[in-house]
Amino acid sequence: EAGVTQFPSHSVIEKGQTVTLRCDPISGHDNLYWYRRVMGKEIKFLLHFVKESKQDESGMPNNRFLAERTGGTYSTLKVQPAELEDSGVYFCASSQGGRPGEAFFGQGTRLTVV
Amino acid sequence: LAKTTQPISMDSYEGQEVNITCSHNNIATNDYITWYQQFPSQGPRFIIQGYKTKVTNEVASLFIPADRKSSTLSLPRVSLSDTAVYYCLVGDLAGQGGKLIFGQGTELSVKP
């Protein structure tokens, strides 16, 4: 069974540009989460999808971030326009039933804004 | 949300048992204790979860005293490949929709 996959693994963009991160959850997982770690800080929750609906987007930092989950399958996180402080590692995780605290994470996308 | 405190770093040698203690003095009745492991350049990975007493699986054991104000993750006979960051998470995960609240974690370094 394939795990959670994220693309790209690395991205370097200039300030003001747009970047789109993609996450493919484990097949059949209704719950999809985005997290990020900015330099030297803890991993922080961004938002939670249940199928195609946003269940909780309390962690989204501002309106430059837009997350979508088309048809309840893969998800994209777009940053537009990117700022220097958006640099960090963005993780996606998915889960389906089972233990509430057990989520499966992807390897992350390292975003560098220069 | 219950705040957790755990050592920032620990050193160990191959073959030793490692115990990482996490303090969570204001844990609530509905809160569960969950531990994750993160290797460099990878996402966190679920290790173990418990509510009270002791839980054991193929990877680790989790000891939770009766007052639940702390918990100890025990890794038996560690190897070099156990070098990673270990996170203790406490929360009403069902009530939070599965949202995970990470702290700083404990960076475990296993030496030969």
Side-chain angles (χ1 to χ4, degrees):
Chain A
E1 178 186 276
V4 176
T5 56
Q6 294 187 242
F7 182 83
S9 55
H10 295 84
S11 180
V12 180
I13 62 170
E14 293 184 352
K15 176 183 173 181
Q17 289 187 323
T18 297
V19 63
T20 299
L21 314 181
R22 171 169 172 147
C23 169
D24 286 77
I26 293 173
S27 178
H29 280 194
D30 288 340
N31 296 297
L32 187 149
Y33 307 85
W34 283 97
Y35 294 84
R36 76 170 180 177
R37 168 189 273 140
V38 295
M39 183 67 72
K41 299 289 182 65
E42 299 158 2
I43 298 172
K44 295 289 190 184
F45 167 83
L46 294 179
L47 88 160
H48 170 205
F49 283 101
V50 177
K51 297 184 180 180
E52 68 276 9
S53 299
K54 292 177 185 175
Q55 184 76 14
D56 180 356
E57 51 185 331
S58 61
M60 294 288 266
N62 52 61
N63 59 10
R64 295 186 293 104
F65 288 75
L66 176 63
E68 295 179 324
R69 189 178 183 192
T70 306
T73 55
Y74 71 91
S75 175
T76 57
L77 180 64
K78 182 164 70 174
V79 185
Q80 178 183 30
E83 298 289 344
L84 298 179
E85 64 265 24
D86 300 332
S87 296
V89 182
Y90 290 76
F91 294 104
C92 174
S94 71
S95 69
Q96 177 69 359
R99 283 175 284 235
E102 184 174 11
F104 298 85
F105 281 76
Q107 291 193 316
T109 293
R110 180 172 295 277
L111 174 65
T112 303
V113 182
V114 297
Chain B
L1 295 173
K3 178 178 169 57
T4 60
T5 303
Q6 52 184 124
I8 293 176
S9 64
M10 293 181 68
D11 291 332
S12 182
Y13 291 93
E14 283 190 292
Q16 289 186 331
E17 178 184 76
V18 171
N19 296 308
I20 305 174
T21 296
C22 178
S23 296
H24 27 81
N25 291 319
N26 59 340
I27 189 169
T29 302
N30 293 335
D31 289 348
Y32 276 74
I33 300 157
T34 309
W35 285 80
Y36 273 75
Q37 172 191 57
Q38 186 179 24
F39 298 114
S41 300
Q42 293 189 24
R45 181 176 78 109
F46 174 93
I47 301 178
I48 198 166
Q49 183 180 79
Y51 184 80
K52 62 181 178 180
T53 64
K54 176 184 173 182
V55 180
T56 297
N57 62 22
E58 66 279 5
V59 177
S61 293
L62 178 60
F63 298 92
I64 306 169
D67 66 5
R68 304 202 324 124
K69 292 184 183 299
S70 67
S71 58
T72 299
L73 176 73
S74 181
L75 305 172
R77 298 180 299 281
V78 294
S79 64
L80 297 177
S81 62
D82 292 316
T83 293
V85 179
Y86 293 82
Y87 296 97
C88 166
L89 292 80
V90 173
D92 177 9
L93 295 166
Q96 293 167 197
K99 177 170 71 176
L100 302 174
I101 310 296
F102 288 87
Q104 288 192 319
T106 297
E107 188 169 358
L108 173 65
S109 177
V110 180
K111 303 174 182 178

